Amino acid sequence: MRLRPEEITSILRQRIEQYDVETDLSEVGSVLQVGDGIARVHGLENCVALEMLEFEHGVVGIAFNLEEDNVGAALFGDWEQVGEESPCAGQGASRASPSARR
């Protein structure tokens, strides 16, 4: 069986058009310090005020204090499970108030 270049091109074009990849562009930081239900997180450079944050063990947080090199967040849930160096993922500005940008 011989394929012509036009057939190969057609097959490749069809496969490329049907190709779908899910990407996750969430920003991930790490906890610097945690205590009394408050966490300091480093690495969330695009975080906005009132943005929802996800921590390990199902703990969620809300970004309040936006500083140059870290974000202060109030934690909800079993916050004692969150420790230093724990990952923290920002949910993006779309879930936060548009007027909350720094």
Side-chain angles (χ1 to χ4, degrees):
M1 179 172 146
R2 285 184 89 184
L3 291 175
R4 295 177 302 161
E6 298 85 28
E7 291 175 344
I8 295 172
T9 303
S10 173
I11 292 169
L12 288 174
R13 183 170 284 130
Q14 181 183 12
R15 296 265 173 103
I16 290 171
E17 288 173 356
Q18 293 175 351
Y19 187 72
D20 186 27
V21 175
E22 287 189 35
T23 56
D24 183 12
L25 299 176
S26 65
E27 191 173 42
V28 178
S30 62
V31 175
L32 296 173
Q33 181 182 31
V34 63
D36 295 331
I38 304 294
R40 291 246 166 245
V41 181
H42 174 72
L44 299 178
E45 295 180 11
N46 296 311
C47 188
V48 296
L50 303 179
E51 180 175 344
M52 182 178 276
L53 305 175
E54 281 186 55
F55 296 84
E56 290 182 324
H57 308 288
V59 177
V60 296
I62 303 243
F64 283 112
N65 193 13
L66 306 176
E67 296 185 12
E68 191 71 27
D69 61 347
N70 68 72
V71 174
L75 303 179
F76 302 96
D78 194 9
W79 63 267
E80 286 130 347
Q81 297 290 323
V82 177
E84 292 180 6
E85 302 296 322
S86 294
C88 171
Q91 293 300 303
S94 62
R95 295 189 183 178
S97 168
S99 63
R101 295 195 179 275
R102 25 173 174 176

